[in-house]
Amino acid sequence: MERLIARIDDILKRDKKMDFAVFSKSEIEEMFQTIMGHMPDEMRQMAIEEFGGVEQWRKHYIEALSSEKMQKGYAKVVEWYGGKDEYLSVVKNPVSKEVAESYNKRIEAILQKLIAKRSCPVNSFEVKEIVGEYGFVMKQLSQMKEERECMLATARFYRNEPSKSKTDEMYGEGAAEFFAEAIEAFYERSGEH
């Protein structure tokens, strides 16, 4: 009981920093091994070439994911999955390459439907219906519990370079902003999605 009281006192006095890391070094190492094992050969080879070898790549990955900024980011991602164990389960058991390709084709078809509705207001039924489908597919692909925060992050992604330029190049000038606004209109005004 005295030790418990002393521990609480330490925390209250901030004599000891609490560790808020989401993933331990060993979990990050395991994530790296899993990701590397499931990565398509050409992507794995590109990463090896970029970092100068598997060991250099592994060190970079562990260092990057161990940073406070990345750990804070992962804290949000873990929430999307409903917990750390659920997230690690998805990392360890990713969808197959064929399934991922199928989902990516479906997302492309959804974006084509969405850009075709560009003349409609972003809060119109037609646009909301397509964004709802987009969110559903993203939820299924990523295997997360709730897609709302992920989709809002996707909206922010559309506004960042080089994603914005690439999206506008593929779908027409202003497409990235339209996608971002449509996603925000659907998810920011509706907490139940």
Side-chain angles (χ1 to χ4, degrees), residues 18 29-30 32 35 70 80 86 97 133-134 150 185 191:
M18 293 188 71
E29 172 75 39
E30 187 176 349
F32 173 78
I35 289 168
M70 286 296 285
W80 301 348
E86 290 80 0
K97 180 181 174 185
E133 181 183 1
Y134 189 5
C150 174

Side-chain angles (χ1 to χ4, degrees), residues 12 38 54 67 79 93 107 110 118 126 130 150 156 188:
L12 292 174
H38 288 92
V54 173
S67 73
E79 284 179 31
N93 304 295
I107 290 168
I110 290 167
R118 188 174 184 179
E126 296 89 345
I130 298 167
C150 174
R156 290 188 298 274
E188 287 185 343

